[in-house]
């Protein structure tokens, strides 16, 4: 047990010295698992870290990028960068070559570690020739120097210099929901403080902790919840080989801690109901006291979540009806709220006091207020970021004195539970001069079984429109059945909002919103600006068209 958590590297070294033979990383490979003990991992980190340190120029910022999908090499690279006394800069594996070039040049990286990727032929075009490349064994890249070659090279072992508390540990680029990604600067001290805050509520002292890593590690949620938390706990990180093996890998890991974004929870629900024969049959089975617990355990085991002590959602709003549904099968999902700029730590739903409709209770070491004029959530904590790399103007705009401005609109109740009601910048003005907050309307739409995801638009229109992507279940319906169901959806949800927020129509878009076409972020949140740009020339036409449900 670590008395007080320190930096990510120091926590890792503690377990490498005290539990050298425990398994740290488990990487699936064609149905088998390659295991890395803490001791083996430390040897790799020391060797790669020593090489990185030799290559770095003192005349430039000691920044090293990681471009890879989640894998054991991703974690080892991050630790090796820290061991080299450098700053890690992770990049999304789904970036285009232009997007990669933008953040790679902006971040001043000297070296880029390239790992497991799907789109190397395209993305490599964005890498300047001046950047040194290192490629891991699972990488399609064959430029630069091989990871395996470094491991067999005789190097002068670097004397371990423990990370300084106030030193920059990492630059995390935001996923760009509101435009150009910004590089959030996070210190070693912020990581340590965040871990110590989460220690009790995240059950990090529990023995034999197991985490599974599949959401992007360059996002603060996965980085905190999986890499930093598991390393501090001395646990094991399992990885997912690919989308086809996800369920198999999850069942193998049987994690003690599990994080999923709302769209994944919705997919889990769909799969469960499909297997069991529908909601009516499930409700009937759960109503029989004798078999209720048997059914719950069977479903949990089928998911691979029968041994979890902490089940979390975050990164996007979780519909309260979905949270309530999972409670019926014995899974109590805790919602976490935060942003990259505050280490993802603003509030968390307590495991034994979940309050539906909220994103949990504000953390003890985090003071939160609601701006009386804008309704914006503002918070202060000693683990907040330093600001944005090479962006003084936006750093100044981020803070109001010690208060970090989240950009989210919210409400606090008497028990310090926080509710999100929208985004300050997402609000738009209709032709009637009224401001519409789209997020609550989108959440209401997304609860419908035939709606996969929705985006509400309507700048300068008399009433807003709802853009809809259909769920897989909707594909089994006739156009008439679907139209009737969506008509009813409008009838049901419009009275939930102010009259000027009533949706005039629903537009069913055929072209999917994906990460690749920039309509979704890597964490599957909608990119509102891109979606609006795609449809802006059609909005007037849709508004004045006769049908209430329009199929494009």
């Amino acid at each position: 047990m670590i008395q007080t958590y320190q930096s990510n590297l120091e926590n890792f070294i503690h377990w490498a010295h005290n539990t050298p033979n425990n398994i740290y990383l488990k990487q699936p490979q064609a149905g088998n698992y390659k295991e890395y003990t803490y001791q083996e991992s430390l040897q790799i980190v020391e060797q790669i870290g020593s090489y990185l340190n030799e290559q770095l120029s003192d005349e430039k910022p000691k920044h090293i990028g990681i471009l890879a999908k989640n894998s054991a090499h991703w974690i080892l690279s991050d630790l090796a960068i820290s061991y080299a006394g450098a700053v890690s800069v992770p990049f999304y594996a789904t970036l285009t070559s232009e997007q990669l070039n933008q953040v790679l040049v902006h971040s001043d990286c000297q070296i880029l570690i390239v790992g497991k990727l799907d789109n190397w032929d395209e993305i490599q075009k964005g890498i300047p020739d001046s950047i040194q490349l290192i490629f891991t064994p699972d990488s399609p890249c064959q430029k630069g120097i091989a990871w395996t070659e470094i491991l067999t090279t005789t190097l002068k072992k670097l004397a371990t210099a423990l990370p300084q508390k106030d030193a920059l540990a990492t630059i995390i680029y935001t996923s760009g929901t509101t435009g150009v990604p910004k590089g959030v600067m996070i210190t070693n001290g912020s990581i340590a403080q965040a871990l110590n805050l989460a220690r009790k509520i995240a059950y990090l002292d529990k023995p034999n902790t197991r985490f599974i890593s599949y959401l992007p590690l360059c996002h603060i949620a996965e980085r905190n919840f999986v890499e930093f938390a598991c390393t501090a706990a001395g646990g094991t990180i399992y990885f997912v080989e690919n989308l086809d093996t996800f369920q198999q890998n999850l069942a193998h890991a049987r994690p003690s801690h599990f994080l999923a974004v709302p769209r994944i929870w919705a997919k889990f629900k769909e799969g469960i109901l499909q297997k069991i024969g529908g909601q009516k049959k499930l409700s009937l089975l759960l109503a029989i006291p004798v078999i209720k617990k048997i059914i719950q355990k069977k479903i949990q085991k089928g998911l691979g979540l029968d041994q979890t002590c902490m089940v979390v959602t975050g990164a996007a709003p979780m519909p309260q009806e979905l949270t309530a549904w999972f409670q019926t099968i014995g899974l109590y999902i805790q919602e976490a709220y935060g942003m990259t700029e505050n280490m993802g730590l603003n509030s968390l739903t307590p495991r034994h006091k979940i309050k539906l409709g909220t994103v949990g209770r504000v953390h003890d070491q985090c003071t939160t207020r609601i701006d009386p004029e804008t309704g914006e959530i503002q918070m202060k904590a000693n683990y907040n970021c330093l600001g944005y790399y090479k962006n003084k103007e936006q750093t100044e705009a981020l803070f109001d004195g010690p208060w970090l401005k989240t950009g989210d609109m919210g409400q606090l109740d008497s028990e310090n539970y926080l509710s999100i009601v929208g985004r300050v910048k997402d609000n738009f003005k209709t032709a009637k001069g009224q401001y519409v907050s789209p997020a609550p309307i989108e959440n209401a739409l997304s609860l419908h079984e035939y709606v996969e995801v929705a985006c509400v638009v309507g700048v300068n229109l008399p009433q807003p429109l709802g853009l809809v992507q259909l769920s897989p279940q909707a594909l089994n319906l006739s156009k008439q059945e679907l139209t009737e169901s969506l008509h009813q959806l409008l009838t049901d949800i419009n009275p939930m909002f102010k009259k000027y927020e009533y949706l005039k129509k629903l537009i069913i878009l055929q072209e999917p919103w994906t990460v690749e076409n920039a309509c979704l972020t890597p964490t599957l949140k909608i990119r509102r600006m891109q979606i609006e740009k795609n449809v802006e020339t059609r909005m007037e036409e849709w508004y004045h068209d006769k049908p209430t449900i329009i199929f494009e």
Side-chain angles (χ1 to χ4, degrees):
M1 178 175 168
I2 301 176
Q3 291 302 313
T4 303
Y5 294 140
Q6 304 299 327
S7 67
N8 188 47
L9 178 65
E10 288 168 283
N11 296 335
F12 165 69
I13 290 172
H14 168 89
W15 294 112
H17 289 160
N18 288 277
T19 58
N21 298 319
N22 283 7
I23 303 301
Y24 179 40
L25 307 169
K26 289 195 72 165
Q27 178 70 49
Q29 293 178 342
N32 298 313
Y33 281 83
K34 178 171 174 55
E35 297 180 340
Y36 295 81
T37 66
Y38 272 88
Q39 185 177 46
E40 289 165 342
S41 298
L42 178 60
Q43 289 168 353
I44 294 170
V45 166
E46 288 176 340
Q47 182 76 357
I48 300 293
S50 297
Y51 177 83
L52 293 173
N53 182 264
E54 281 187 5
Q55 303 303 307
L56 289 166
S57 166
D58 291 332
E59 296 173 5
K60 301 177 184 176
K62 293 187 175 182
H63 296 175
I64 300 175
I66 304 173
L67 177 64
K69 294 168 73 174
N70 297 18
S71 69
H73 289 109
W74 201 108
I75 301 291
L76 295 169
S77 296
D78 196 36
L79 289 164
I81 292 167
S82 184
Y83 184 85
V87 175
S88 69
V89 189
F91 302 111
Y92 285 102
T94 52
L95 294 176
T96 64
S97 56
E98 292 80 11
Q99 290 167 338
L100 175 64
N101 183 265
Q102 181 186 56
V103 288
L104 197 50
V105 171
H106 182 268
S107 63
D108 295 317
C109 283
Q110 296 186 45
I111 300 171
L112 180 65
I113 300 174
V114 182
K116 190 177 174 183
L117 289 170
D118 294 331
N119 58 339
W120 172 246
D121 288 344
E122 163 58 24
I123 202 170
Q124 65 174 312
K125 298 171 189 173
I127 303 171
D129 293 337
S130 58
I131 294 178
Q132 181 182 339
L133 300 181
I134 296 170
F135 56 92
T136 63
D138 53 2
S139 175
C141 170
Q142 295 299 307
K143 296 179 179 179
I145 185 168
W147 178 280
T148 48
E149 186 180 336
I150 298 171
L151 292 182
T152 57
T153 302
T154 302
L155 294 167
K156 183 182 177 184
K157 186 178 172 184
L158 184 66
T160 307
L162 296 179
Q164 295 299 302
K165 178 182 172 183
D166 297 330
L168 193 58
T170 186
I171 298 172
I172 301 179
Y173 279 85
T174 59
S175 54
T177 50
T178 55
V180 178
K182 301 181 287 289
V184 180
M185 299 185 289
I186 292 172
T187 65
N188 292 298
S190 289
I191 294 169
Q193 288 162 33
L195 284 167
N196 285 301
L197 163 67
R199 184 172 194 151
K200 186 177 179 182
I201 56 178
Y203 311 103
L204 295 185
D205 289 326
K206 178 183 170 68
N208 191 28
T209 54
R210 298 175 309 285
F211 295 69
I212 186 161
S213 180
Y214 66 100
L215 295 171
L217 268 165
C218 45
H219 189 275
I220 192 64
E222 186 84 349
R223 193 94 174 273
N224 258 346
F225 189 83
V226 175
E227 182 189 8
F228 297 158
C230 186
T231 304
T236 303
I237 301 174
Y238 292 71
F239 296 91
V240 169
E241 189 165 7
N242 54 54
L243 278 176
D244 294 335
T245 65
F246 174 78
Q247 197 60 58
Q248 177 190 331
N249 297 147
L250 179 56
H252 177 82
R254 298 176 82 187
S256 58
H257 295 69
F258 182 71
L259 166 69
V261 296
R263 284 187 69 188
I264 289 173
W265 289 116
K267 292 285 186 189
F268 280 172
K269 178 186 173 183
E270 286 172 22
I272 291 164
L273 291 179
Q274 222 169 25
K275 277 189 178 179
I276 217 153
Q279 183 62 56
K280 191 174 179 182
K281 185 176 179 183
L282 177 61
S283 299
L284 184 65
L285 292 169
L286 293 175
I288 305 169
V290 183
I291 64 168
K292 180 179 178 179
K293 284 204 176 298
I294 297 170
I295 293 296
Q296 287 177 331
K297 275 294 174 191
K298 188 174 181 181
I299 292 171
Q300 290 169 24
K301 191 168 184 180
L303 289 174
L305 302 179
D306 57 318
Q307 294 188 5
T308 53
C309 64
M310 190 177 195
V311 186
V312 177
T313 191
M318 178 77 161
Q320 55 184 296
E321 289 81 358
L322 194 56
T323 305
W325 187 88
F326 274 97
Q327 289 178 5
T328 67
I329 61 166
L331 285 174
Y332 292 84
I333 300 172
Q334 297 173 252
E335 188 156 2
Y337 166 69
M339 54 198 291
T340 311
E341 290 84 343
N342 61 22
M343 294 292 295
L345 289 170
N346 203 146
S347 63
L348 176 72
T349 307
R351 166 67 178 80
H352 299 291
K353 198 176 180 183
I354 293 172
K355 192 180 282 191
L356 294 177
T358 76
V359 290
R361 185 185 287 146
V362 172
H363 292 297
D364 291 341
Q365 295 171 37
C366 166
T367 308
T368 298
R369 71 181 186 185
I370 307 296
D371 184 274
E373 290 184 14
T374 62
E376 182 182 42
I377 301 165
Q378 300 178 351
M379 55 79 68
K380 58 182 178 180
N382 55 11
Y383 49 77
N384 279 347
C385 72
L386 297 177
Y388 300 121
Y389 185 61
K390 296 197 311 191
N391 199 328
K392 185 180 178 183
E393 185 180 336
Q394 289 195 314
T395 296
E396 288 173 353
L398 178 64
F399 293 99
D400 179 6
W403 297 92
L404 185 148
K405 298 189 283 186
T406 65
D408 290 312
M409 298 166 63
Q411 297 169 345
L412 272 171
D413 71 12
S414 59
E415 293 184 289
N416 226 20
Y417 277 76
L418 186 62
S419 302
I420 310 296
V421 298
R423 288 280 299 170
V424 176
K425 289 182 180 177
D426 285 350
N427 292 358
F428 60 84
K429 190 189 282 189
T430 65
K432 297 175 182 177
Q434 303 280 8
Y435 279 97
V436 172
S437 184
I441 309 171
E442 290 162 355
N443 291 342
L445 286 171
S446 298
L447 289 175
H448 195 276
E449 61 181 322
Y450 300 143
V451 176
E452 179 82 359
V453 63
C455 179
V456 171
V457 297
V459 176
N460 296 327
L461 292 177
Q463 294 290 143
L465 305 172
L467 308 180
V468 167
Q469 298 263 289
L470 295 176
S471 69
Q473 299 99 300
L475 303 178
N476 300 321
L477 299 177
S478 68
K479 191 173 180 179
Q480 184 181 343
E481 288 174 312
L482 192 53
T483 300
E484 288 172 2
S485 181
L486 293 175
H487 263 298
Q488 189 59 50
L489 173 60
L490 275 184
T491 303
D492 291 342
I493 70 163
N494 273 340
M496 297 163 57
F497 301 99
K498 299 181 180 73
K499 286 195 174 180
Y500 59 81
E501 293 181 310
Y502 281 20
L503 294 177
K504 176 80 171 175
K505 303 183 180 214
L506 291 181
I507 319 299
I508 315 305
L509 299 178
Q510 300 301 318
E511 185 181 349
W513 297 335
T514 65
V515 175
E516 289 70 27
N517 63 23
C519 290
L520 296 180
T521 72
T523 53
L524 306 183
K525 288 186 281 192
I526 59 171
R527 275 199 166 104
R528 190 177 305 280
M529 288 172 65
Q530 183 62 47
I531 293 170
E532 288 177 345
K533 183 181 176 183
N534 291 350
V535 302
E536 61 186 353
T537 58
R538 303 291 312 279
M539 284 164 56
E540 282 280 351
E541 179 189 336
W542 287 333
Y543 190 87
H544 295 293
D545 208 352
K546 283 186 179 180
T548 307
I549 310 299
I550 298 173
F551 291 84
E552 276 293 303

